[in-house]
Amino acid sequence: MAPPDHSLVRLLAGWLPRQRWFGGKDGPIDELTIGTATELRTGDPGLHHLILDVRQNGTTDRYQVLLGVRRDLPGRLESCLIGRLAGGHGIAGHVYDAAHDPELTGPLLAYMANETQIGPLRFRRAPGTGVRTDLESTPIGAEQSNTSLIFGDAYICKLFRRLSPGLNPDLEVNLALSRQGCAHIPAVHGWIELEPGADAAWDGTGDEPVTLALLSEFLRSATDGWQLALTSVRDWFAQPALPMTGPTTGPVPAFTARDAGAVGGDFAAEAGRLGAATAQVHRDLAAAFGVTRAPAAALRESVFAMNEHLDQVSAAVPEIRPHVRAIRAVFDEVAAEARTLPVQRVHGDYHLGQVLRTDSGWVLLDFEGEPARTPAERRAPAHPLRDVAGMLRSFEYAARFLLVRDGDLPPDAAETLEMRARAWAERNREAFCAGYAAAGGPDPAAHAALVRAFEFDKAVYEIRYEARNRPSWLPVPLRSLARLAG
């Protein structure tokens, strides 16, 4: 057994970069300090809430940690161990990530139910709701940027690991949509916040508390939209060869969108329902936050930013360069025809992984916006077709993900499956857009250039993300970009 350490900061600095939700893996930590430390439970085990100020490359990010302390660490928590501490910060014993310890996360429900305040931490209960306090938590292991805990079959509590100043958009939007009676979001039951000014090193929070966690309804019967789509693609790829439905340039059948609905693997009905749910949420967002008119100059400025983003990514990722001319032509077309457009609050990071299919319909999740954006950018109004473009890109991703995951294929098989992927994506894109327009959303077909520009901008973002984080996935957006640019 390693000897105990006397420095909690040193232990945290060694442990933090190994966590999947840590966003600074591309460089060393220059300095780590504890911004706030609040004791939530005394005794053995003990619970401390920490906000860590992490300085890298001249900027400071803040992370939330629930720190458990035990004299003897049970085997079930060994994977969560941070280290052994010999009295640093008044703490002695095994210190570990308490998000994985149901004995220590259970009290969070009681604090929210009673709207307790402990030091700078405020535990809040949503108006008109109750919070059960007799449930144990189980963490979800697949997340990247946050940690979510499932409490029985009643709640899911999202702990925001990398914190943003002020009110988190996910809480802000969900509360606003709840007040609108929106049927396509999970109900909010409570949240945890840091009172304004609690971290003296955190500038720019103003009078807003900092959102630390969000407690929502757990949709027990729900299925993830991404997994449903992949199952559909897998079934469609497994179908035997179909009769030719159109001209071909070789021996490979010209699989079409009609073929994708003629046999197993059809997802179009669900895609249409998802489009309708998206339109309803957009209407509720407009009612909750209002709609403004953005002048043509604002759209031209947005296109200028898209072109700058394209320049940056093409300099860093050579694989995108064959498509730059086609992408820029669409951007220039939108700028040349710029006009006043309505803008409103939108989802901001919309894809199949952000939706669930329940017994009663589709539910939208995670209104935080794109993680790389600033809080102001996430809250900024946008045209609702930006969300539509995000989902259209997600259909392209789902169509080709299995081709990349399953590795190299013989040329004939690869060409056949690529044509099937195009057919699946085309059919579901069309169904989603039809459902969206029929439910009152702006018709994507009537704004084709704008949608294409939003799609291209999202594709450029995807290529930059995959090149930095998952290079093996880079062929997924590149293949679909080749089709879109063609």
Side-chain angles (χ1 to χ4, degrees), residues 44 69-73 92-94:
D44 187 4
V69 184
R70 288 178 179 265
R71 180 181 303 169
D72 300 308
L73 192 71
H94 294 87

Side-chain angles (χ1 to χ4, degrees), residues 3-21:
D5 201 320
H6 291 273
S7 171
L8 177 58
V9 168
R10 185 162 51 245
L11 289 177
L12 290 167
W15 170 80
L16 192 63
R18 303 195 302 272
Q19 307 315 300
R20 66 173 63 197
W21 40 262

Side-chain angles (χ1 to χ4, degrees), residues 27 39 66 106 115 138 156 184 192 344 446 486:
E39 189 173 30
L66 291 176
E115 298 202 293
T138 302
I156 179 169
H184 298 289
I192 308 172
Q344 63 170 79

Side-chain angles (χ1 to χ4, degrees), residues 47-62:
L47 177 62
H48 300 257
H49 180 276
L50 306 180
I51 292 180
L52 309 180
D53 298 338
V54 181
R55 187 169 180 81
Q56 292 180 284
N57 301 318
T59 62
T60 298
D61 288 318
R62 288 167 176 83

Side-chain angles (χ1 to χ4, degrees), residues 24-110:
K25 294 186 178 68
D26 57 345
I29 293 176
D30 300 321
E31 183 182 20
L32 186 152
T33 58
I34 297 176
T36 68
T38 307
E39 189 173 30
L40 297 180
R41 173 173 165 161
T42 61
D44 187 4
L47 177 62
H48 300 257
H49 180 276
L50 306 180
I51 292 180
L52 309 180
D53 298 338
V54 181
R55 187 169 180 81
Q56 292 180 284
N57 301 318
T59 62
T60 298
D61 288 318
R62 288 167 176 83
Y63 292 88
Q64 173 179 204
V65 174
L66 291 176
L67 188 76
V69 184
R70 288 178 179 265
R71 180 181 303 169
D72 300 308
L73 192 71
R76 60 183 174 83
L77 295 173
E78 286 181 356
S79 62
C80 312
L81 180 65
I82 297 173
R84 293 178 64 216
L85 197 63
H89 288 265
I91 300 171
H94 294 87
V95 293
Y96 60 98
D97 184 0
H100 300 267
D101 187 350
E103 188 174 349
L104 293 180
T105 55
L108 301 180
L109 295 182

Side-chain angles (χ1 to χ4, degrees), residues 303-313 328:
V303 172
F304 179 80
M306 293 180 189
N307 272 310
E308 281 196 322
H309 184 215
L310 176 60
D311 290 340
Q312 295 166 3
V313 176
R328 206 178 300 281

Side-chain angles (χ1 to χ4, degrees), residues 8-320:
L8 177 58
V9 168
R10 185 162 51 245
L11 289 177
L12 290 167
W15 170 80
L16 192 63
R18 303 195 302 272
Q19 307 315 300
R20 66 173 63 197
W21 40 262
F22 180 66
K25 294 186 178 68
D26 57 345
I29 293 176
D30 300 321
E31 183 182 20
L32 186 152
T33 58
I34 297 176
T36 68
T38 307
E39 189 173 30
L40 297 180
R41 173 173 165 161
T42 61
D44 187 4
L47 177 62
H48 300 257
H49 180 276
L50 306 180
I51 292 180
L52 309 180
D53 298 338
V54 181
R55 187 169 180 81
Q56 292 180 284
N57 301 318
T59 62
T60 298
D61 288 318
R62 288 167 176 83
Y63 292 88
Q64 173 179 204
V65 174
L66 291 176
L67 188 76
V69 184
R70 288 178 179 265
R71 180 181 303 169
D72 300 308
L73 192 71
R76 60 183 174 83
L77 295 173
E78 286 181 356
S79 62
C80 312
L81 180 65
I82 297 173
R84 293 178 64 216
L85 197 63
H89 288 265
I91 300 171
H94 294 87
V95 293
Y96 60 98
D97 184 0
H100 300 267
D101 187 350
E103 188 174 349
L104 293 180
T105 55
L108 301 180
L109 295 182
Y111 293 153
M112 280 186 266
N114 297 320
E115 298 202 293
T116 304
Q117 178 160 355
I118 304 176
L121 301 188
R122 301 194 299 216
F123 296 82
R124 305 292 301 275
R125 176 169 42 82
T129 65
V131 176
R132 291 179 56 185
T133 62
D134 60 338
L135 303 172
E136 287 195 351
S137 68
T138 302
I140 296 177
E143 291 185 297
Q144 296 291 331
S145 57
N146 300 302
T147 299
S148 288
L149 310 175
I150 305 298
F151 285 93
D153 60 357
Y155 309 123
I156 179 169
C157 182
K158 182 194 292 186
L159 298 171
F160 299 107
R161 290 294 199 166
R162 188 177 183 179
L163 300 175
S164 298
L167 185 64
N168 189 285
D170 202 13
L171 173 61
E172 178 189 22
V173 170
N174 274 290
L175 284 175
L177 290 176
S178 295
R179 288 192 289 268
Q180 292 295 322
C182 181
H184 298 289
I185 60 165
V188 176
H189 287 268
W191 65 94
I192 308 172
E193 62 190 23
L194 182 74
E195 66 182 7
D199 185 345
W202 202 332
D203 297 326
T205 58
D207 296 328
E208 283 190 345
V210 176
T211 308
L212 302 175
L214 172 61
L215 184 73
S216 302
E217 171 190 10
F218 176 54
L219 303 170
R220 183 165 47 90
S221 65
T223 305
D224 177 74
W226 172 254
Q227 293 302 323
L228 283 175
L230 289 187
T231 298
S232 170
V233 173
R234 188 180 297 109
D235 290 347
W236 166 228
F237 282 180
Q239 295 296 324
L242 299 172
M244 289 173 55
T245 57
T248 67
T249 57
V252 180
F255 295 110
T256 68
R258 184 180 64 185
D259 295 327
V263 294
D266 194 19
F267 190 71
E270 290 298 343
R273 295 186 190 102
L274 179 57
T278 304
Q280 179 61 60
V281 172
H282 279 165
R283 286 201 301 275
D284 290 339
L285 284 169
F289 294 97
V291 178
T292 59
R293 304 289 296 182
L299 181 57
R300 286 192 288 270
E301 289 175 3
S302 178
V303 172
F304 179 80
M306 293 180 189
N307 272 310
E308 281 196 322
H309 184 215
L310 176 60
D311 290 340
Q312 295 166 3
V313 176
S314 62
V317 187
E319 291 88 343
I320 197 177

